[in-house]
Amino acid sequence: SQTIHQWPATLVQPVGSPLSLECTVEGTSNPNLYWYRQAAGRGLQLLFYSVGIGQISSEVPQNLSASRPQDRQFILSSKKLLLSDSGFYLCAWSVLLRADFYEQYFGPGTRLTVT
Amino acid sequence: DAKTTQPNSMESNEEEPVHLPCNHSTISGTDYIHWYRQLPSQGPEYVIHGLTSNVNNRMASLAIAEDRKSSTLILHRATLRDAAVYYCILKGDYGGSQGNLIFGKGTKLSVKP
């Protein structure tokens, strides 16, 4: 069966510090991978998605970046965190199950607080 | 992807049916209707999806209006564990490779014992 891991679970970082969040997927090959962010009391915002190694698409311009160094590894980074980067970061993966359907599976999330 | 409109919040009593509405008046002929839910402090999880016909699975039922401009997610017997934010999402263009989902604000369902 497939599983998705994210770490760390919680993180408190000062403004201006760097960030690296990691997501790995087990039990599937060549998945689509996604990073979402959910600010307090708000909906999910798609940040990045990737359809293959080294292929990253950005949905929202900001001080975050993403990389996919291996098929089942997705990394979210920042060189300098802002207060507005606080939120719940979710990694997800999907595969095309049938011609009509992608189902997305979400990880447990990382709760980031920038102080 | 077309836009959906959902009530911000709804309340239900435990063991009673719950009907969660979603309006999508600008839906295109190829848009599938998806429902996901997000329990507190967790990532969203898939609930159900459909195109034109009503759908049933172990979690819920999806009733789709004949003109497809609205749909209703039906939880037949709400439990306390069903308290979550429910998202109605339209997704078309599965010929593409992205599989992106665009989440709105959803409906926050509260279940009273």
Side-chain angles (χ1 to χ4, degrees):
Chain A
S1 64
Q2 301 90 356
T3 55
I4 180 169
H5 303 279
Q6 280 188 250
W7 64 90
T10 59
L11 190 59
V12 180
Q13 292 283 101
V15 168
S17 63
L19 172 73
S20 180
L21 302 180
E22 188 164 344
C23 169
T24 59
V25 181
E26 296 177 357
T28 187
S29 296
N30 196 31
N32 288 351
L33 295 172
Y34 312 86
W35 277 111
Y36 290 84
R37 177 173 62 197
Q38 189 170 35
R42 308 187 72 174
L44 279 86
Q45 178 186 36
L46 178 65
L47 301 175
F48 300 95
Y49 67 89
S50 171
V51 300
I53 296 173
Q55 299 178 63
I56 308 294
S57 296
S58 174
E59 290 292 302
V60 183
Q62 56 209 321
N63 68 320
L64 299 172
S65 63
S67 62
R68 185 170 177 175
Q70 300 180 43
D71 181 44
R72 289 168 288 176
Q73 184 185 27
F74 205 23
I75 297 171
L76 182 69
S77 303
S78 174
K79 292 182 179 178
K80 286 186 177 183
L81 284 169
L82 307 173
L83 285 174
S84 58
D85 291 325
S86 293
F88 191 39
Y89 287 81
L90 288 156
C91 180
W93 69 274
S94 72
V95 291
L96 186 61
L97 298 178
R98 309 185 287 273
D100 68 338
F101 182 50
Y102 278 98
E103 180 174 337
Q104 283 200 8
Y105 301 88
F106 286 80
T110 295
R111 193 163 298 281
L112 171 66
T113 302
V114 182
T115 60
Chain B
D1 297 316
K3 185 177 177 180
T4 63
T5 304
Q6 299 177 253
N8 290 333
S9 62
M10 291 184 64
E11 278 192 352
S12 172
N13 294 318
E14 196 174 12
E15 298 193 1
E16 290 185 355
V18 181
H19 291 232
L20 296 163
C22 181
N23 288 322
H24 28 79
S25 58
T26 58
I27 191 171
S28 76
T30 56
D31 282 336
Y32 283 79
I33 302 159
H34 299 255
W35 285 83
Y36 280 71
R37 73 177 185 180
Q38 185 176 16
L39 279 65
S41 298
Q42 294 186 29
E45 62 176 348
Y46 166 80
V47 177
I48 201 167
H49 82 290
L51 183 62
T52 56
S53 303
N54 295 343
V55 184
N56 299 296
N57 67 20
R58 63 175 179 80
M59 291 181 70
S61 296
L62 176 60
I64 300 173
E66 196 169 335
D67 64 6
R68 298 204 336 119
K69 294 185 176 182
S70 65
S71 61
T72 302
L73 180 70
I74 302 167
L75 307 179
H76 295 286
R77 289 184 66 199
T79 69
L80 297 178
R81 288 173 295 179
D82 291 322
V85 178
Y86 287 79
Y87 298 97
C88 170
I89 303 166
L90 301 184
K91 183 70 185 85
D93 190 21
Y94 281 111
S97 59
Q98 294 87 356
N100 295 359
L101 294 175
I102 308 298
F103 287 81
K105 293 187 177 180
T107 296
K108 184 175 182 179
L109 176 67
S110 302
V111 181
K112 295 183 289 184

